[in-house]
Amino acid sequence: MLTAELRRAIQTATGLPDADPLLRPGPAPGRYASSLPFRLARHGQDPREVAADLAARLRGEPWIEAAEATGAGYLTVTVTHDALAGLAVRIAEAGPACAASDALRGRTVPAPPPPDLAAEPGWPQARAALAVHLTARLASAAGATLFFYPERAVVSPPAPDPPAAGLPPVPPVPPASPESLPSPESFPPGPAQPESVAGAVAYAGADAVRFALARTPPGGHAPQATIVARHVLGNPAYAVRYAHAAAAAVLRWAAALGTRPADPQEFRPRLLAEPGELALLDALSWLPERVAAAARRGRPDEFAGYLEGLATRTLDTMSTTSFRNVAEISSERLWLAAAARVGLAVGLGLLGVSAPERL
């Protein structure tokens, strides 16, 4: 949402509707940096001049608190607190549209049918088939046009945009979960590791295997069913779905006590001001941009990594006293729980993974 709107605002300021703002997180929640001035600067021109000019054009937006040139020529934008906090209502009400953008408008992407992972001859083929399919799903959400063909074939993903002159490419977003996947030795003895994809699906379940494959980078190791089947927070295939269930539980417990989010017109942004709440809102604001970036690079594993980070933020927030004391929870915090639930559900849905209400 906010990143999609910021993208359009920067494009309007440049007069280039197809320019990629090359957004990256700023130093605090609600701050966003763009390296586009480096690309727009003419030969011999100081990128800081370009950044300053763009900043001046953006300051008239009512939802932008500050826009300035920073560093060697970055455009840094800070949105208002009301705009950031207001995402709680906007995302909860938007549903699947909260992940949409026009970042890939005008692009055409091949869309193979959904792969039958259990029928694939091996893990590399299963990962490749799923990556192409998920790239198309993500690209569609980012505004690309899909074309379908009757027989599945592994095709090349959309080519990434070239990096700005003099700058390294924007790095992929790593999983933000504080725990890495545990080693197999950390678990009690269990059934023998299935060697086939079909065996892993039968043992761990289709959702667990699909998420584990979605988060596997090109050339990565095959998921181990004895790990991805575990119901522990160190297992991302479980943790992301558990975070969705945790947000849903807050809403369910509140409803059981007769408490529901108030009318959106009564929403008070100032009541969402705790550091953890702002960090969660900031993470949610990146949803459409992370969808587009993963589709552009043909790297659904990067989007799965983003969801892991969003799950961590959600669990951290839902475990605070403000959310666990459901009898006294504010309407604003219920809206935030609803936004986290929607954001995680939409993200999991783009990967073709279910989002259960209870785990």
Side-chain angles (χ1 to χ4, degrees):
M1 292 226 154
L2 274 182
T3 50
E5 291 161 353
L6 182 56
R7 166 183 288 275
R8 288 194 293 270
I10 293 175
Q11 289 171 335
T12 299
T14 63
L16 302 171
D18 295 323
D20 184 356
L22 303 171
L23 293 175
R24 60 187 70 193
R31 296 191 72 186
Y32 309 88
S34 167
S35 58
L36 183 60
F38 292 94
R39 179 175 292 179
L40 296 180
R42 298 184 300 274
H43 180 69
Q45 184 181 20
D46 189 340
R48 287 173 291 189
E49 295 179 8
V50 179
D53 179 61
L54 292 176
R57 301 184 188 188
L58 290 171
R59 291 189 190 115
E61 295 287 347
W63 51 277
I64 291 179
E65 180 177 297
E68 56 190 334
T70 57
Y74 289 93
L75 169 66
T76 300
V77 177
T78 304
V79 301
T80 64
H81 178 270
D82 285 6
L84 184 62
L87 283 177
V89 172
R90 296 180 63 197
I91 290 175
E93 292 193 317
C98 70
S101 73
D102 57 3
L104 298 186
R105 178 187 54 198
R107 296 201 183 191
T108 303
V109 178
D116 181 359
L117 298 181
E120 295 293 340
W123 288 102
Q125 295 88 345
R127 195 215 71 84
L130 182 62
V132 174
H133 174 64
L134 294 183
T135 293
R137 289 172 67 98
L138 295 169
S140 178
T145 300
L146 304 185
F147 71 86
F148 297 86
Y149 49 92
E151 295 183 2
R152 192 182 76 225
V154 175
V155 298
S156 299
D161 291 337
L167 288 178
V170 178
V173 180
S177 175
E179 301 179 66
S180 58
L181 274 175
S183 63
E185 292 77 13
S186 66
F187 297 120
Q193 168 66 32
E195 295 182 355
S196 68
V197 182
V201 170
Y203 178 74
D207 279 329
V209 172
R210 188 179 179 95
F211 188 90
L213 266 181
R215 74 183 297 273
T216 301
H221 297 293
Q224 298 185 43
T226 52
I227 292 178
V228 302
R230 296 289 294 186
H231 285 197
V232 295
L233 295 182
N235 169 22
Y238 172 78
V240 177
R241 300 169 74 228
Y242 179 81
H244 172 270
V250 171
L251 297 168
R252 185 170 62 251
W253 296 335
L257 295 176
T259 304
R260 288 179 172 79
D263 188 275
Q265 301 300 322
E266 301 176 15
F267 182 81
R268 296 163 294 177
R270 60 183 175 80
L271 296 186
L272 290 181
E274 294 296 325
E277 296 166 355
L278 296 178
L280 175 55
L281 286 161
D282 185 78
L284 286 166
S285 77
W286 281 97
L287 179 55
E289 192 68 14
R290 294 306 181 218
V291 168
R296 185 183 296 110
R297 291 167 54 84
R299 295 289 301 273
D301 58 292
E302 294 179 2
F303 181 67
Y306 160 75
L307 290 182
E308 292 172 37
L310 179 57
T312 297
R313 295 293 189 193
T314 299
L315 290 173
D316 287 347
T317 303
M318 297 301 115
S319 63
T320 61
T321 303
S322 299
F323 283 81
R324 294 181 66 86
N325 187 7
V326 178
E328 299 180 7
I329 195 169
S330 68
S331 173
E332 287 71 23
R333 291 193 169 105
L334 288 179
W335 277 114
L336 180 55
R341 173 191 176 192
V342 168
L344 287 166
V346 171
L348 286 167
L350 287 170
L351 297 182
V353 176
S354 68
E357 297 285 309
R358 291 179 171 86
L359 274 179

